Amino acid sequence: MVKADLTGIHRYKKTLSGGLVRYYYKVSREKGAPVFWTRDHAPEPEPVSKAFIAAYHDKRADWFVNPIAESDTIAHLIRRVRITPEFQKLARATRAYYEEAFPHILEEFGEDEIAAFEDKAMRKDVKDWRNNWRATPRQADKMLGSLIYILNFAIDEGEITQHVISKIKRLHKSDRSYIIWEKEDIEAFKSDAPNHLKWVIDLATMTGLRREDLVTIPANADKDSHLEWRTHKSGRRLTIIVPIIGELRTLLNDIADHKGRQKIKSTTLLCNSRGKPWTGMGLSASFRKQASKHGIEKTMHDMRGTAVTHFKLAGLEDDEIADIVGWKKADVEKIIKLYIDKETVLRAIIHRVEKERQTNKNCKPAVNRRISIIKDE
């Protein structure tokens, strides 16, 4: 151990996953100053080691010769990402996803050099940081994914050739493709739900629409035989078409009657408790709150599987259902096999065919029609 003049060193500590305390030493308190030493559990004992002094002088000398420009930092990279046309064109929910993570990235890595993420040593630091959210795997993956997003931007801009965190494994592992809302779940949710939430769950389970589509259906989308409206997705202008089958017509009439009686003039088909259009985040929050009251841990997305069973019982063929919900036919078949017995399906088809024959003898059974939900403009 030796004494040395190490004036200006900036020491700080962070508590990592599992409660590990790590001490960091920067060559200066100046913005962008690099870390030259770390130590776990306790500060570096004094007098400091020769290795500590050598690391300090080497890093300080290198920093003075090649100082980190502000434009080379993660903080500056995030500012540039935010103003790109590509980021601005992302769906509002997707931008919010990244924006939630950016402050945490700035706090941890904001002053770090972008090029540092080409160094294998950075991989462990990123994993330790990510593991602060180990108890909530989805959140942990959001943080990691957002950091990867901005580093991929740096690669596209030619500022780095690669980064070492792209292959870090995600913590959240879940296959929800075969989870649906069953009858008991829906009845419990609706037992004390207000009308504006009942409409959401009914419309979702009858159409298979995603949350982003549910909140944007215009009030004038009802075309008698189908719902139809134009929207933007991933920078493309699309027309969405949803067939009105079975109880969906009754639901749409009920919504229209209620809005008429209450003089609600919402520009969207669905509206919140104030008669205003839902926001995606607002709908999710209200939906989760109502579901949690009844111990239901299923998500809005899980209702798409319920819609598959609804379409099947209405007499549609598997490939038609796949077209509507945007799934592979094999996934549709899996849902049907899990939740609907063959006899029920056959009886539903027979009932529907007989009903159509009685109302229109010249009409071909709807089970033979081809339906497409989305058309590119």
Side-chain angles (χ1 to χ4, degrees):
M1 300 289 183
V2 297
K3 290 186 177 181
D5 181 13
L6 303 176
T7 304
I9 287 179
H10 175 44
R11 186 189 79 188
Y12 61 98
K13 68 178 181 179
K14 291 183 179 179
T15 302
L16 306 179
S17 60
L20 174 66
V21 176
R22 176 168 295 168
Y23 289 82
Y24 295 81
Y25 294 82
K26 287 187 171 185
V27 299
S28 169
R29 289 183 175 274
E30 294 181 41
K31 186 174 182 179
V35 172
F36 71 92
W37 194 263
T38 62
R39 192 171 193 274
D40 293 341
H41 306 300
E44 186 71 15
E46 296 184 3
V48 295
S49 66
K50 290 182 179 180
F52 182 95
I53 295 172
Y56 166 73
H57 286 301
D58 287 347
K59 183 64 73 172
R60 184 174 176 82
D62 180 64
W63 183 49
F64 277 127
V65 173
N66 301 297
I68 300 174
E70 183 182 2
S71 60
D72 294 331
T73 64
I74 292 296
H76 191 263
L77 182 63
I78 289 177
R79 288 198 293 271
R80 288 163 49 210
V81 165
R82 280 173 165 151
I83 62 174
T84 60
E86 292 79 9
F87 188 77
Q88 293 299 317
K89 287 180 181 179
L90 293 175
R92 182 184 301 176
T94 306
R95 291 201 307 273
Y97 176 95
Y98 290 125
E99 289 289 358
E100 182 181 341
F102 285 167
H104 298 282
I105 295 173
L106 286 168
E107 180 181 3
E108 182 72 18
F109 303 112
E111 296 182 1
D112 288 339
E113 189 176 9
I114 301 169
F117 289 85
E118 293 183 301
D119 187 341
K120 291 181 179 179
M122 183 60 80
R123 183 180 174 90
K124 184 177 186 303
D125 288 343
V126 171
K127 289 181 70 174
D128 287 341
W129 169 73
R130 184 276 312 272
N131 288 343
N132 288 319
W133 293 274
R134 182 184 291 276
T136 52
R138 286 179 182 270
Q139 189 72 359
D141 290 347
K142 176 186 292 187
M143 297 301 158
L144 177 62
S146 299
L147 180 56
I148 290 173
Y149 177 80
I150 63 172
L151 290 174
N152 286 344
F153 172 78
I155 291 176
D156 289 341
E157 293 293 297
E159 297 177 33
I160 53 177
T161 58
Q162 53 90 33
H163 59 77
V164 297
I165 69 172
S166 60
K167 294 184 179 180
I168 294 178
K169 292 182 179 179
R170 302 302 197 266
L171 296 182
H172 179 69
K173 296 180 180 179
S174 176
D175 181 4
R176 306 192 64 88
S177 58
Y178 303 133
I179 297 175
I180 74 170
W181 282 65
E182 299 187 68
K183 182 179 179 180
E184 296 77 11
D185 301 318
I186 297 171
E187 289 178 349
F189 184 97
K190 293 172 62 176
S191 63
D192 57 354
N195 283 332
H196 57 278
L197 282 178
K198 290 180 181 178
W199 296 340
V200 170
I201 193 170
D202 285 341
L203 194 60
T205 55
M206 292 180 190
T207 64
L209 290 170
R210 299 175 178 86
R211 183 197 69 176
E212 291 74 15
D213 295 322
L214 288 169
V215 300
T216 58
I217 304 173
N220 61 356
D222 189 345
K223 309 301 181 185
D224 293 331
S225 63
H226 61 280
L227 295 172
E228 180 176 345
W229 72 101
R230 294 161 69 87
T231 186
H232 284 86
K233 284 188 177 182
S234 303
R236 297 180 299 160
R237 191 167 181 80
L238 304 173
T239 297
I240 296 182
I241 300 174
V242 181
I244 296 177
I245 297 173
E247 297 176 352
L248 180 54
R249 166 48 58 204
T250 302
L251 172 64
L252 294 173
N253 290 343
D254 288 345
I255 293 174
D257 290 345
H258 178 87
K259 291 170 73 173
R261 290 194 304 271
Q262 300 298 321
K263 298 182 179 180
I264 297 173
K265 297 182 179 180
S266 172
T267 57
T268 54
L269 178 63
L270 296 175
C271 56
N272 59 25
S273 58
R274 301 185 304 278
K276 303 295 183 182
W278 283 105
T279 64
M281 295 298 185
L283 176 56
S284 291
S286 296
F287 194 89
R288 284 195 300 268
K289 183 178 179 180
Q290 178 65 18
S292 65
K293 285 172 59 178
H294 299 279
I296 301 171
E297 297 182 356
K298 297 175 181 179
T299 68
M300 289 186 65
H301 189 77
D302 297 332
M303 288 188 288
R304 303 194 74 214
T306 309
V308 167
T309 65
H310 169 78
F311 288 132
K312 188 64 178 180
L313 293 176
L316 272 66
E317 296 180 1
D318 294 354
D319 52 354
E320 293 175 329
I321 298 171
D323 285 342
I324 294 172
V325 298
W327 284 8
K328 295 179 181 178
K329 184 180 177 182
D331 292 331
V332 170
E333 292 171 344
K334 180 71 172 181
I335 285 284
I336 292 168
K337 184 177 180 180
L338 283 173
Y339 293 102
I340 309 178
D341 63 85
K342 188 173 182 180
E343 181 180 350
T344 301
V345 173
L346 292 174
R347 290 188 181 280
I349 293 174
I350 292 170
H351 176 74
R352 182 176 176 219
V353 170
E354 289 300 324
K355 185 176 180 180
E356 290 195 358
R357 283 176 177 170
Q358 291 175 8
T359 56
N360 188 349
K361 293 182 179 181
N362 296 322
C363 179
K364 293 182 179 180
V367 292
N368 293 324
R369 297 182 193 140
R370 298 291 299 168
I371 301 172
S372 179
I373 186 171
I374 297 178
K375 298 179 180 179
D376 288 311
E377 293 293 326

